[in-house]
Amino acid sequence: MIEGIKSDSVEAWWSLVEEYLIAALEHSLGEYSIEDIKEACKSKDMQLWAEIGKEVEGALVTKINNYPQKKVLVMMLAGGNIFADNNFKIIEESEELLTRFAKEKECTYIQLFGRRGWAKKMNKLQYKHNRVVLTKEIIVKWR
């Protein structure tokens, strides 16, 4: 079962979720370091969620983006053994909790950035393919 981790408890939980989040960050563009994520969760800029069974089996990080016209709950990172082999169990089981949290925070959308494999699984939870994000690395040389 997924549980939200209060910001003042992040430090106590961190050693149990850090490896999952580091693995998830390997698929990012490097926008955040693991330390950035930890500090943002502690300061309430991001939210830490842990999948707890007999032990911690995975972790999610969300962030609320406040745009001029809307608030959006963004699922930023998801990692853990429960995601292996396209088993998106944590999302399926926690959909109601994340939706309730988004509503409490007055978000009008939940958004997910992830690899292509997420699209098919999330479709059955009424997520729609909205856009493709393409990236190109630019190497900037400073003088």
Side-chain angles (χ1 to χ4, degrees):
M1 179 66 148
I2 189 170
E3 292 187 25
I5 306 301
K6 293 186 182 283
S7 60
D8 59 356
S9 298
V10 168
E11 194 70 53
W13 282 87
W14 197 252
S15 65
L16 302 171
V17 301
E18 183 176 27
E19 70 178 286
Y20 299 133
L21 299 177
I22 288 172
L25 279 173
E26 290 176 5
H27 300 284
S28 74
L29 298 175
E31 307 95 324
Y32 296 97
S33 70
I34 193 66
E35 293 82 17
D36 297 332
I37 299 293
K38 181 180 180 181
E39 291 307 312
C41 290
K42 287 169 62 175
S43 68
K44 300 182 183 180
D45 290 333
M46 293 181 187
Q47 302 79 41
L48 177 63
W49 308 81
E51 171 71 14
I52 304 167
K54 293 180 182 172
E55 57 189 44
V56 175
E57 299 175 26
L60 268 174
V61 173
T62 58
K63 177 178 180 23
I64 298 172
N65 282 348
N66 289 297
Y67 298 108
Q69 303 301 316
K70 298 190 183 300
K71 289 171 79 172
V72 177
L73 179 67
V74 179
M75 285 191 261
M76 298 188 50
L77 292 173
N81 299 331
I82 53 175
F83 296 109
D85 302 318
N86 291 327
N87 176 15
F88 297 96
K89 179 181 116 180
I90 190 172
I91 300 298
E92 293 169 346
E93 291 181 354
S94 59
E95 175 66 13
E96 185 179 326
L97 177 64
L98 291 174
T99 299
R100 190 170 57 244
F101 176 76
K103 285 179 181 178
E104 287 172 8
K105 299 298 181 183
E106 300 178 349
C107 296
T108 53
Y109 286 92
I110 298 176
Q111 190 174 50
L112 166 73
F113 290 96
R115 292 177 284 158
R116 215 173 276 178
W118 284 86
K120 204 177 246 187
K121 291 285 186 180
M122 298 306 286
N123 190 35
K124 70 180 180 181
L125 296 174
Q126 300 176 341
Y127 284 75
K128 296 177 183 159
H129 182 249
N130 180 265
R131 66 187 72 171
V132 175
V133 177
L134 304 171
T135 59
K136 175 182 176 181
E137 182 176 16
I138 304 295
I139 311 271
V140 178
K141 295 183 182 180
W142 298 100
R143 293 181 187 191

